[in-house]
Amino acid sequence: ASFGSYEVIQAYTDRLFGHGSNPFNRDTISTPSTLGTFRGEDGQEHAHKDGTSVRGQKLPQLKKLCDAHALKKHEVMFFDDDIKNIVGEYGALSDDYVNSFYCPEAFTRSVWETALRRMEEGDPTYMTQWKAA
């Protein structure tokens, strides 16, 4: 889930993983535009636009990913460089997305591989270390 532009995120992950072996695509990259519309303060319907934040922070995007793919929250891996999106009032951990990873330097292939390994090993210390903070 990102507030960025889908095209930029796709290009970055293609470069990171190599085109053809990238686990991320339009179905698994959530940006605000995937959320459809919302009713604004003016009472009118407005389209969510990439590059903007949404009410509820990243939680609506994570929920939409779960609904679209029939996933349980613990089956979702979420990476963010803003700690508030992990542990804040609307942070992923506040809604039990336990496989949430804070990566302040950037999302890299190494971060992905480490998180995947830790998730597969069921290492709860790593997955919830930010919840305890």
Side-chain angles (χ1 to χ4, degrees):
S2 174
F3 294 146
S5 163
Y6 165 73
E7 291 79 10
V8 171
I9 297 163
Q10 186 66 66
Y12 177 76
T13 59
D14 283 345
R15 178 177 284 185
L16 198 62
F17 292 97
H19 194 71
S21 60
N22 185 353
F24 300 99
N25 57 47
R26 192 54 175 140
D27 288 335
T28 60
I29 296 172
S30 175
T31 59
S33 64
T34 64
L35 294 175
T37 62
F38 67 97
R39 185 169 306 282
E41 291 181 14
D42 60 3
Q44 301 297 312
E45 290 292 314
H46 300 275
H48 285 285
K49 295 180 182 172
D50 288 354
T52 63
S53 61
V54 300
R55 189 175 301 141
Q57 296 299 94
K58 303 287 177 78
L59 293 179
Q61 291 172 259
L62 292 170
K63 181 179 180 345
K64 185 163 180 106
L65 281 171
C66 285
D67 292 348
H69 299 284
L71 294 170
K72 293 180 174 39
K73 292 177 182 180
H74 72 274
E75 295 173 317
V76 172
M77 294 178 75
F78 173 62
F79 301 87
D80 207 287
D81 63 349
D82 185 342
I83 193 67
K84 292 180 298 215
N85 290 324
I86 304 293
V87 299
E89 179 181 359
Y90 296 104
L93 289 173
S94 74
D95 200 28
D96 296 326
Y97 290 95
V98 296
N99 293 310
S100 295
F101 300 91
Y102 177 55
C103 44
E105 301 302 316
F107 176 74
T108 63
R109 189 171 187 137
S110 176
V111 166
W112 166 256
E113 289 170 351
T114 300
L116 187 60
R117 186 177 64 254
R118 299 280 175 103
M119 183 179 164
E120 289 170 347
E121 293 170 355
D123 183 347
T125 303
Y126 186 81
M127 293 184 289
T128 61
Q129 65 179 321
W130 300 107
K131 193 171 190 174

